[in-house]
């Protein structure tokens, strides 16, 4: 089980930021990992990381379409991803972060980088 940390912040508003963050948290849990979440909004921040979570973090997911700096306190590799990508495939985002950190279990498939094929319209 890997410890991940994440920041979710969206210019679309606080609700979008919270939905993005919760999608990441739920995906990490489904995959058997822990994710400590920090949601940043113009109305204020919610969540954050304990010193232990920060020290044990194997990867950091920065899910934002804002110009945010990577957290200076983390030594973990940082995956920068747009919130819309998270909402389209949260498990894929978590897998990409784990792969970046070298924490993807042997034999586990990395996140697909391509969209599903689209059927041609009948002529």
């Amino acid at each position: 089980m890997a410890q991940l940390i994440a920041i979710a912040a969206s210019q679309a508003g606080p609700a979008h930021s919270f939905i993005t963050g919760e999608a990441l948290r739920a995906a990490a849990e489904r995959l058997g990992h822990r994710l400590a979440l920090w949601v940043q909004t113009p109305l204020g921040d919610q969540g954050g990381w304990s010193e232990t979570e920060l020290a044990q973090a194997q990867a950091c997911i920065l899910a934002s379409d804002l110009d945010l700096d990577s957290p200076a306190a983390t030594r973990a590799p940082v995956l920068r991803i747009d919130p819309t990508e998270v909402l389209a495939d949260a498990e894929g985002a978590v897998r990409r972060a784990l792969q970046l950190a070298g924490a993807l279990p042997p034999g586990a498939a990395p996140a697909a980088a391509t969209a599903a094929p689209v059927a041609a319209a009948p002529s």
Side-chain angles (χ1 to χ4, degrees):
M1 176 183 329
Q3 174 66 59
L4 305 171
I5 58 175
I7 296 174
S10 174
Q11 63 184 347
H16 199 250
S17 299
F18 283 103
I19 292 168
T20 300
E22 289 306 319
L24 284 170
R25 186 191 326 258
E29 288 177 7
R30 281 192 303 274
L31 294 170
H33 304 288
R34 293 183 314 256
L35 185 133
L37 179 61
W38 181 5
V39 178
Q40 297 180 353
T41 77
L43 302 176
D45 295 356
Q46 183 174 356
W49 318 305
S50 70
E51 291 294 324
T52 301
E53 290 166 334
L54 185 60
Q56 293 177 353
Q58 292 174 269
C60 175
I61 302 171
L62 183 55
S64 179
D65 52 8
L66 302 169
D67 188 24
L68 298 179
D69 292 330
S70 295
T74 185
R75 295 184 190 143
V78 177
L79 172 67
R80 292 180 174 273
I81 189 166
D82 191 271
T84 58
E85 292 179 75
V86 170
L87 295 177
D89 184 10
E91 285 188 16
V94 171
R95 284 189 184 103
R96 285 174 53 197
L98 292 167
Q99 187 175 29
L100 184 66
L104 197 62
T114 59
V118 177
S123 35

